[in-house]
Amino acid sequence: MESIFPLEQLIGFSGNIYQITVAASRRAYQMSKINDPEVEKNYGKAVSIAARQLFCNKVSYRIEDNTK
């Protein structure tokens, strides 16, 4: 059975936790705005789905450098 939030991946994550948190929240927002059927199928757990997508590399993110 798959957990609601990917805790195992979060514990083992060696990257910047702030960046992955921002990426997951933005992805969840995207999924909510487009009424993604996967969110509805999983009882509206957009943040959990977004985090799982990021940790499983189904979606990727990049940090923009706005200092230029």
Side-chain angles (χ1 to χ4, degrees), residues 10-46:
L10 182 61
I11 291 168
F13 184 68
S14 62
N16 184 317
I17 197 70
Y18 174 76
Q19 290 177 355
I20 197 83
T21 302
V22 171
S25 66
R26 288 187 180 186
R27 176 65 180 146
Y29 177 77
Q30 288 175 338
M31 294 171 71
S32 296
K33 290 301 276 184
I34 64 168
N35 294 323
D36 191 304
E38 189 173 351
V39 173
E40 291 185 26
K41 182 175 74 175
N42 289 291
Y43 308 104
K45 307 291 185 191

